[in-house]
Amino acid sequence: MKAHVHVMLKDGVLDPQGEAVRHALGGLGFEGVNGVRQGKVIELDLAEGTTEAAVREMCEKLLANTVIESYRIEMA
Amino acid sequence: MKAAVVVFPGSNCDRDLATAFRNAGCDVSMVWHKDTDLPADVDIVGLPGGFSFGDYLRCGAIAANSPICRAVKAHGDKGGYVLGICNGFQVLTETGLLPGALLRNAGLKYICRTVPLTVATSDSVYTRGYNAGDVIQVPIAHHDGNYTAGADELAALKAEDRIAFTYNANPNGSDSDIAGILSPNRRVLGMMPHPERAAEADQGNTDGARLFAHLTEALAQA
């Protein structure tokens, strides 16, 4: 089984990389891009029966820094 | 005075930091990230600059969860002294020994140059050799030095006089121009600038030497 963990900077935390991407899109002529936030996706290949609670603990302990990041778990 | 300098894969300021401690009169041992214990009776632990574990996941995140960092956390939690410089500061925020986090520089560029810092407090073993308001020149070399903390944490840092150093011309977007902060008990210091690169005449700058000299003197008396 797999889990996908989406990690994003929290709302309100300035994302300079996302801003740079937004500027670059504007430079390419794409109009109407009001904002870009850049995050990451971590794909976990898990033993059958691993619970979402266990993945949540992984996020809290290592995968996300909850001071600045939020995370969302998708069990697949 | 016994100092231990932790070495992670990717540390590159560990020997500079050890030399600065040694020149100030410390006995220094190097400790590997897989070690589970610090040397007995160690007075201060140094977390050096570099790119521990290639900065994978987040700067300092994997180092903060290494076996030796459990011992460093325990040392800090029981009132021990810890000095984290650059990547070491990032590790300290990841362990929770210091609040906040270090984000990508606001200008997105890696910055490597000497910058003026203001010593914001002389009330710590690290800054007692300076006067509050002193301006010193110290090199920075980082990509992720943009200090951020919640409004409550920033207010606490200010109210408790725990901001150790500020940038005179903010190079990276840090909240309140913060370059270095102290723990609530003032025994853990994290700072992005590199005092160990300004610690002897051959480096062309000795503004950081006082930090190590006065730290060593204070801990030797303790």
Side-chain angles (χ1 to χ4, degrees):
Chain A
M1 62 182 291
K2 287 197 169 159
H4 289 108
V5 176
H6 300 253
V7 180
M8 295 294 293
L9 284 173
K10 285 181 176 170
D11 290 342
V13 175
L14 181 70
D15 177 2
Q17 293 181 97
E19 272 300 289
V21 172
R22 187 177 67 81
H23 279 290
L25 288 171
L28 287 169
F30 292 103
E31 292 176 9
V33 181
N34 295 324
V36 176
R37 307 281 289 170
Q38 182 179 316
K40 56 193 148 196
V41 178
I42 300 167
E43 184 180 284
L44 303 169
D45 188 354
L46 299 167
E48 286 302 320
T50 305
T51 62
E52 185 169 334
V55 177
R56 190 165 300 281
E57 199 179 344
M58 295 175 204
C59 290
E60 292 286 333
K61 283 195 169 163
L62 179 65
L63 300 180
N65 178 347
T66 55
V67 174
I68 47 171
E69 293 171 329
S70 60
Y71 61 86
R72 181 166 58 81
I73 299 167
E74 269 175 33
M75 303 295 285
Chain B
M1 241 293 279
K2 290 174 75 171
V5 174
V6 178
V7 185
F8 302 104
S11 294
N12 62 11
C13 300
D14 44 318
R15 283 175 288 178
D16 308 53
L17 182 55
T19 299
F21 276 132
R22 206 170 282 125
N23 287 346
C26 299
D27 291 330
V28 182
S29 35
M30 308 303 277
V31 185
W32 185 231
H33 70 109
K34 286 184 178 169
D35 293 348
T36 52
D37 297 302
L38 292 164
D41 308 322
V42 75
D43 295 297
I44 183 162
V45 178
L47 298 174
F51 302 85
S52 57
F53 298 91
D55 281 348
Y56 292 168
L57 191 62
R58 295 180 306 278
C59 301
I62 298 187
N65 289 285
S66 63
I68 194 61
C69 273
R70 282 191 274 279
V72 174
K73 176 88 165 48
H75 175 78
D77 283 341
K78 69 171 199 239
Y81 292 87
V82 186
L83 168 61
I85 297 171
C86 200
N87 189 222
F89 185 11
Q90 295 162 341
V91 173
L92 284 171
T93 60
E94 284 282 345
T95 59
L97 281 170
L98 290 175
L102 292 140
L103 295 167
R104 179 57 42 105
N105 292 343
L108 292 174
K109 291 198 168 62
Y110 184 93
I111 307 170
C112 185
R113 59 179 145 93
T114 297
V115 300
L117 302 179
T118 296
V119 180
T121 179
S122 59
D123 181 14
S124 75
V125 294
Y126 306 98
T127 53
R128 60 193 277 277
Y130 305 93
N131 293 311
D134 280 359
V135 174
I136 58 174
Q137 303 288 329
V138 184
I140 57 169
H142 60 248
H143 207 166
D144 298 80
N146 180 353
Y147 182 77
T148 187
D152 292 351
E153 281 160 339
L154 280 174
L157 289 171
K158 289 173 187 170
E160 295 165 14
D161 191 29
R162 286 164 49 205
I163 299 174
F165 300 100
T166 55
Y167 298 109
N168 290 15
N170 192 335
N172 55 26
S174 288
D175 282 342
S176 303
D177 302 327
I178 286 172
I181 57 167
L182 295 157
S183 59
N185 68 4
R186 317 188 79 76
R187 294 184 172 199
V188 179
L189 169 67
M191 62 190 296
M192 289 310 295
H194 287 273
E196 83 285 10
R197 295 189 187 177
E200 55 185 287
D202 287 348
Q203 292 170 316
N205 177 356
T206 57
D207 281 4
R210 261 183 290 172
L211 185 155
F212 295 98
H214 285 265
L215 165 69
T216 304
E217 184 186 86
L219 297 195
Q221 288 165 1

